[in-house]
Amino acid sequence: CIGEDRTDEALFRANRNQLSIRIGWSTGTAATHYLADSAEVAILLAHIVDVCNSEAPSGWSRCTSALSA
């Protein structure tokens, strides 16, 4: 999950064993990682799209779209 303010902290805590990203550094966050700003979020998402669109080994699927399900 990705969030940017105090209201997202409950989500970070509820998903403690999963990846959580806070936008903007903050002390005391329950997020496991942080990105500086929305521009860095856009870069992260672009990298994920690149991985999903790259060649996967035979028999493997890199990513499955929730929209195609």
Side-chain angles (χ1 to χ4, degrees), residues 2-14 21-31:
I2 298 177
E4 63 184 345
D5 59 33
R6 287 178 287 133
T7 62
D8 298 309
E9 290 299 324
L11 184 63
F12 298 151
R13 284 189 300 278
I21 302 169
R22 179 175 172 89
I23 303 170
W25 186 83
S26 176
T27 59
T29 184

Side-chain angles (χ1 to χ4, degrees), residues 12-48:
F12 298 151
R13 284 189 300 278
N15 294 287
R16 197 165 298 221
N17 295 324
Q18 300 187 22
L19 177 70
S20 57
I21 302 169
R22 179 175 172 89
I23 303 170
W25 186 83
S26 176
T27 59
T29 184
T32 58
H33 299 79
Y34 83 94
L35 295 171
D37 52 31
S38 58
E40 286 192 355
V41 174
I43 293 168
L44 172 65
L45 294 175
H47 284 296
I48 292 170

